[in-house]
Amino acid sequence: MNGVHDMGGMQGFGPVEPEPNEPVFHARWEARVLALRRALGAWRRWNIDASRYSIETLPPADYLRLSYYEKWLASATKLALQAGLITPRELETGRRDPAVPVAMPPLSADKVMPALLAGGATLRETNAKPRFAAGQAVRARDINPTGHTRLPRYVRGRRGTIERDHGAHVFPDSNAKFEGEKPQFLYTVRFEARELWGEAANPADSVYLDLWEDYLDAV
């Protein structure tokens, strides 16, 4: 979607300053937010694409103001309310609502590590044939979806080259809206920097993106 979260190619946010020896978490509450997200996700009331979409739909001022894990917490709160996992009263008071039955969490402590190691594969079987092959010229479609998409604005309408076919994967645009996985082929596409940024870009530079078939047209 076209929102403030799609910052690729945008200017005015200052230099990127990597933090030397950056810790996994800067504060204990960040680890708790990660654990909370994992525990809530185990209920399977939403999927990873719906989760990303919930962050994208945060108010723009909040999105720019909040830190990484603050965004995760705001998103988790919104998703949990929508799914009925918590009530507005519980959120307001921080205490269990006595009117709501207690449910057994699906993710117990002994299941955490196996769940993390298992991951969440998105590769799917399909009888369809890929539309594109390595070395083929393509153009990213110039579209403006109103929902979640993994097609960044800065490549829309730009020409690239197929580098690799990754097989069929869950299509995030439909999955985020609970309209089904609709698996389709996923490709690594190379875009020359000058195609994206103009003559000022280094001619030796390229950007590689993994893009689904519905994002691409043949050239």
Side-chain angles (χ1 to χ4, degrees):
M1 59 185 301
N2 293 343
V4 296
H5 66 280
D6 190 355
M7 294 182 173
M10 293 179 65
Q11 299 178 6
F13 295 99
V16 176
E17 299 178 350
E19 181 180 344
N21 304 312
E22 183 178 6
V24 177
F25 302 108
H26 289 85
R28 182 170 174 78
W29 71 265
E30 294 182 338
R32 291 174 65 86
V33 170
L34 175 59
L36 177 66
R37 288 292 296 241
R38 294 293 186 182
L40 288 172
W43 290 99
R44 299 190 180 278
R45 302 293 180 86
W46 55 82
N47 56 59
I48 188 172
D49 299 307
S51 177
R52 287 170 172 157
Y53 184 41
S54 72
I55 295 177
E56 294 163 359
T57 53
L58 292 172
D62 290 343
Y63 186 89
L64 294 174
R65 174 179 58 85
L66 299 176
S67 69
Y68 182 81
Y69 281 106
E70 285 175 331
K71 292 185 179 76
W72 273 36
L73 179 58
S75 166
T77 302
K78 180 166 59 172
L79 289 167
L81 283 169
Q82 292 172 348
L85 295 179
I86 61 174
T87 68
R89 178 179 177 181
E90 288 173 326
L91 179 61
E92 180 180 357
T93 65
R95 298 178 180 276
R96 186 181 72 83
D97 188 340
V100 178
V102 176
M104 182 64 67
L107 185 65
S108 55
D110 61 302
K111 296 178 182 177
V112 171
M113 190 54 66
L116 291 176
L117 293 174
T122 62
L123 185 66
R124 299 291 186 266
E125 295 291 333
T126 180
N127 293 323
K129 301 297 182 183
R131 289 174 51 209
F132 308 112
Q136 185 173 352
V138 294
R139 190 179 303 278
R141 298 183 64 197
D142 190 3
I143 55 177
N144 293 280
T146 56
H148 177 66
T149 185
R150 303 296 283 174
L151 177 63
R153 277 193 303 247
Y154 70 89
V155 299
R156 295 175 193 173
R158 304 296 185 175
R159 178 170 173 156
T161 304
I162 300 291
E163 288 286 319
R164 183 177 177 183
D165 174 356
H166 293 282
H169 287 255
V170 175
F171 186 47
D173 300 43
S174 60
N175 200 41
K177 296 184 288 186
F178 304 102
E179 294 177 350
E181 293 187 341
K182 298 183 180 179
Q184 57 181 258
F185 286 90
L186 177 68
Y187 307 90
T188 295
V189 184
R190 177 175 60 83
F191 296 89
E192 294 182 2
R194 287 195 167 182
E195 172 71 10
L196 301 177
W197 319 122
E199 293 300 314
N202 189 328
D205 290 347
S206 296
V207 175
Y208 293 78
L209 293 174
D210 289 339
L211 300 176
W212 278 260
E213 212 162 60
D214 273 6
Y215 299 161
L216 303 169
D217 288 321
V219 174

